[in-house]
Amino acid sequence: MDFQLSAPLVELRDRVAEFVRNEVIPAESQEFTPALVQELRAKARHAGVFGPQLPRELGGLGLGTVGMCVVFEQAGRSFLGPVALHCSAPDEGNMHLLAHHANDAQRKQYLEPLIEGKIRSCFAMTEPAPGAGSDPTMMMTRAERVDGGWEITGRKWFATGADGADFAVAIAVTDPNADRHHRATMFLVPTNTPGYRFVRNVPVMGGHGFGGHGEVDFDHVRVPDSAIVGKAGDGFKLAMIRLGPARLTHCMRWMGVAQRAIEIATSYAKERAAFGKKLAEHQSIQWMIADSEIELHASRLMVLHAAWEHENGSEIRHESSICKVFVAEAVNRIIDRAVQICGALGVSGDTPLDDFYREVRAFRIYDGPSEVHRMVIARNVLKRTS
Ligand SMILES: Cc1cc2nc3c(=O)[nH]c(=O)nc-3n(C[C@H](O)[C@H](O)[C@H](O)COP(=O)(O)OP(=O)(O)OC[C@H]3O[C@@H](n4cnc5c(N)ncnc54)[C@H](O)[C@@H]3O)c2cc1C
């Protein structure tokens, strides 16, 4: 095993770290507006760190999954970092999906302007109960065959970025009689299509990024056959292809947040005294720091391994589930410990820890709750054991 990163990747990692330190973190105190995003993206282009995951011919850095892992962690040190580098969810996952599975016309219509930052997207799969949630095969949104295309009807929610999105990647059941894995189809739906309605932003803990987490209604939304990604019946398969690497990139970005939380906590522990010595000299504080460091190191190795497998052609379904459970739970604990070490300061708005804390909780739920990934992991293990 060779753990050595190439010299160009080390140089890029350090350049991204410097960019985040000098340009992104100072912008955290500003209001989050489209103008700020454009400004940061222009600076990212200038610094040669824009679009790490995007193909070179489309203006990106063309990194493989391992390179993305290294760079996304640095970008993730600030919630603004992935936005500045144009590698934040959900656009990053949608760009990956379209780059690999859209046809030429779809790439021209959606992918190119998405990459340029001229439009935004959302991914609409989850539905309010009794529809699709942890179990996507419970999907109730239907697309009926009509002359020249399809008519989509149903309700989705928690579509991140839906408020102001220009198109939705939407999954709907097209053949209810097919087996449960081939019933659905993936559609590209411009949000100005008649019948499509943004209902509301669901109020959530945290809530960074563009466009919140939207509830959207499809009321007989007509789309042509050309709106289908791949072919009819491939919806769940494509959703899994989109979500597998997206789980990993979530882990990568969250590792950056965790690293920063550890740094904030250790700085405080080295300055602040209690009971005659610095907090950092108390063993219980040292143990919290050590536990966080151990969990972050394990997270990094796990994600790097899955990234390497992915770069070498594996589907990484099993590995991405393992990473998703471990990293989501580890990062929740790491941020919680950082808050604890910082005491009242940790729950104040004077450090980013309160933002990290509110935002990280949902990571144990989105892209599959821990319980569902554990179920999948266990099934895989049981299958391979005689
Ligand atoms: C911040 C945020 C952003 C999101 N962004 C998007 C998005 O962009 N697009 C999108 O389509 N969706 C999105 N989601 C939705 C997310 O993917 C779902 O919340 C997730 O799939 C779980 O579905 P559910 O919330 O309906 O939970 P439910 O299906 O209602 O499950 C509730 C709980 O039951 C437990 N459970 C479920 N199944 C099992 C099992 N087999 N064994 C044991 N326990 C189980 C779990 O603890 C789970 O948390 C987002 C969610 C959040 C919170």
Side-chain angles (χ1 to χ4, degrees), residues 14-286:
D14 295 347
R15 194 146 35 93
V16 172
E18 193 187 330
F19 177 75
V20 170
R21 190 168 53 245
N22 296 339
E23 304 289 352
V24 177
I25 290 179
E28 284 175 347
S29 54
Q30 294 182 38
E31 198 188 338
F32 184 65
T33 60
L36 175 64
V37 174
Q38 292 314 325
E39 183 191 324
L40 287 172
R41 285 189 180 163
K43 286 180 176 171
R45 283 184 201 275
H46 185 71
V49 297
F50 182 82
Q53 80 287 9
L54 299 173
R56 280 181 184 279
E57 65 275 18
L58 296 174
L61 303 182
L63 293 183
T65 325
V66 171
M68 284 164 60
C69 191
V70 172
V71 166
F72 279 32
E73 177 178 342
Q74 295 307 321
R77 290 171 60 84
S78 166
F79 287 142
L80 277 181
V83 177
L85 270 60
H86 205 9
C87 61
S88 59
D91 283 349
E92 179 261 319
N94 289 339
M95 287 189 274
H96 177 81
L97 173 86
L98 295 175
H100 290 93
H101 299 281
N103 60 35
D104 286 348
Q106 291 168 336
R107 284 163 61 108
K108 188 134 202 69
Q109 185 177 353
Y110 297 104
L111 180 61
E112 290 179 16
L114 191 58
I115 285 175
E116 287 167 25
K118 290 185 176 154
I119 62 172
R120 290 200 292 104
S121 65
C122 65
F123 181 72
M125 182 153 95
T126 305
E127 300 170 344
S134 302
D135 181 355
T137 64
M138 288 163 64
M139 187 161 293
M140 295 179 71
T141 300
R142 287 288 311 273
E144 304 276 0
R145 200 72 176 106
V146 291
D147 225 12
W150 301 83
E151 203 169 77
I152 307 171
T153 298
R155 179 67 65 115
K156 302 284 184 182
W157 80 337
F158 276 93
T160 300
D163 189 0
D166 296 272
F167 73 98
V169 179
I171 321 281
V173 173
T174 42
D175 182 358
N177 298 320
D179 76 80
R180 59 196 221 107
H181 295 291
H182 295 93
R183 293 205 317 238
T185 298
M186 180 180 277
F187 295 93
L188 299 174
V189 183
T191 53
N192 60 4
T193 312
Y196 178 97
R197 185 167 63 96
F198 172 77
V199 179
R200 63 165 181 150
N201 264 328
V202 184
V204 292
M205 284 193 251
H208 279 268
F210 274 132
H213 306 288
E215 183 164 347
V216 295
D217 193 55
F218 294 76
D219 182 8
H220 299 90
V221 175
R222 273 196 180 224
V223 290
D225 281 318
S226 58
I228 293 178
V229 185
K231 55 183 198 320
D234 275 355
F236 289 142
K237 189 179 101 185
L238 287 167
M240 289 310 119
I241 288 173
R242 183 199 177 279
L243 290 171
R247 280 176 193 132
L248 216 55
T249 54
H250 269 311
C251 292
M252 297 170 188
R253 288 183 289 256
W254 273 112
M255 289 177 336
V257 178
Q259 178 65 58
R260 188 155 167 221
I262 293 173
E263 288 165 15
I264 292 168
T266 49
S267 297
Y268 185 75
K270 283 162 83 174
E271 290 298 319
R272 177 73 162 155
F275 299 95
K277 53 187 177 183
K278 292 282 160 66
L279 290 179
E281 293 166 44
H282 289 278
Q283 194 181 43
S284 57
I285 299 289
Q286 292 173 357

